[in-house]
Amino acid sequence: MRGHKKVATGPAPRRTVGVRELKAQAARIVRSVRETRVSYVVTHRGRPVGVLLPIDAVADESPDDDAAWTTFLEAGRRLQQTIRPGTSVVKLLSDSRR
C-alpha cells in the first residue's frame, strides 16, 4: 500500500544480524528497518561491530542531514550506556576487528 505508514508504538525491537547474512539479505533487512522500525546489531564472528537504526522521518518525510546526525548522536548515547565504566572504546574497536 503506497502512502500507508505504520505507526510505531513503544520502543522498536532490536535484532542481531551477522555480516554475511546482512550482505545476502540487505534489501530485506533495510525494508524491515524502514517499515517496522526494527534496529539491528551487526556482528562479525559473533561480536557486535555496528548498529543499523531507523531514522525518524521529518515533517516533509525526507530525512535531512541534521535529523540523521541527531539520530546518530542519540544512538551513540544509548550505546554508551551499555558499556561498562572504565572500558576502553579503543580496545573494544580493536577487539571487534580481530
Side-chain angles (χ1 to χ4, degrees), residues 15-19 22 40-44 47-52:
R15 298 180 183 163
T16 302
V17 63
V19 71
L22 177 60
Y40 285 86
V41 175
V42 180
T43 63
H44 182 261
R47 290 186 168 171
V49 295
V51 180
L52 185 59

Side-chain angles (χ1 to χ4, degrees), residues 4-71:
H4 178 70
K5 290 194 112 180
K6 293 183 182 180
V7 177
T9 57
R14 178 165 291 164
R15 298 180 183 163
T16 302
V17 63
V19 71
R20 286 183 186 177
E21 181 183 357
L22 177 60
K23 181 179 176 183
Q25 302 291 326
R28 179 187 60 78
I29 291 169
V30 170
R31 189 177 321 109
S32 175
V33 170
R34 183 185 69 224
E35 293 175 359
T36 65
R37 314 300 295 159
V38 67
S39 60
Y40 285 86
V41 175
V42 180
T43 63
H44 182 261
R45 296 185 179 181
R47 290 186 168 171
V49 295
V51 180
L52 185 59
L53 297 170
I55 294 179
D56 295 329
V58 291
D60 64 356
E61 299 204 14
S62 62
D64 62 8
D65 292 342
D66 291 335
W69 187 248
T70 300
T71 301

Side-chain angles (χ1 to χ4, degrees), residues 80-88:
Q80 186 178 23
Q81 294 173 355
T82 65
I83 298 173
R84 291 185 307 248
T87 302
S88 166

